């Protein structure tokens, strides 16, 4: 079960990330000079854009966005740690519930 949860969480997060990143790469928006207006498609992308902007993997200047490739590498590591941390907490909660139930 945990493996299914990990895969589902990674897919959701990774798909939104990849769509945003690919649109910026396709527009060659890899620095402030080439920044473009980026409109997220759906709630998942909207949330992901907010997280990536807060982390500065996607930079925003005057309503235009560009991709910081170096920060993206660090962002992806942090996202993986966040997903694995959530799964660990769920696992500990399940183990505690089982232990208390006996």
């Amino acid at each position: 079960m945990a493996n299914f949860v990990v895969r589902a969480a990674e897919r959701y997060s990774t798909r939104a990330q990849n769509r945003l990143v690919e649109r910026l790469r396709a527009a060659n928006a890899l620095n402030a000079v080439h920044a473009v207006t980026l409109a997220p498609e759906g709630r998942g992308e909207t949330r992901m854009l907010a997280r990536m902007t807060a982390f500065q993997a996607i930079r925003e200047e005057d309503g235009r966005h560009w991709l910081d490739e170096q920060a993206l590498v660090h962002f992806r590591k942090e996202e993986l740690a966040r997903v694995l941390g959530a799964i660990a907490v769920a696992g500990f909660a399940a183990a505690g519930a089982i232990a208390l139930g006996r």
Side-chain angles (χ1 to χ4, degrees):
M1 166 115 174
N3 196 19
F4 170 76
V5 174
V6 170
R7 282 194 226 144
E10 283 180 339
R11 268 189 301 230
Y12 168 78
S13 178
T14 304
R15 282 183 186 161
Q17 278 182 53
N18 288 342
R19 285 191 300 259
L20 293 168
V21 168
E22 289 307 314
R23 276 190 267 158
L24 290 170
R25 284 180 179 156
N28 196 33
L30 303 177
N31 56 42
V33 174
H34 295 106
V36 297
T37 302
L38 184 63
E41 298 172 3
R43 286 186 309 193
E45 281 191 20
T46 300
R47 282 186 245 148
M48 183 57 66
L49 179 60
R51 284 206 316 261
M52 292 178 85
T53 302
F55 194 87
Q56 294 189 349
I58 293 179
R59 308 278 179 125
E60 181 179 7
E61 294 180 18
D62 300 324
R64 295 166 31 109
H65 298 86
W66 60 279
L67 181 65
D68 183 335
E69 292 277 4
Q70 287 185 327
L72 177 63
V73 171
H74 298 295
F75 176 78
R76 286 189 166 160
K77 288 178 187 176
E78 291 289 326
E79 279 293 293
L80 179 59
R82 187 178 72 83
V83 168
L84 293 177
I87 290 168
V89 168
F92 288 131
I98 290 170
L100 290 175
R102 289 188 174 187

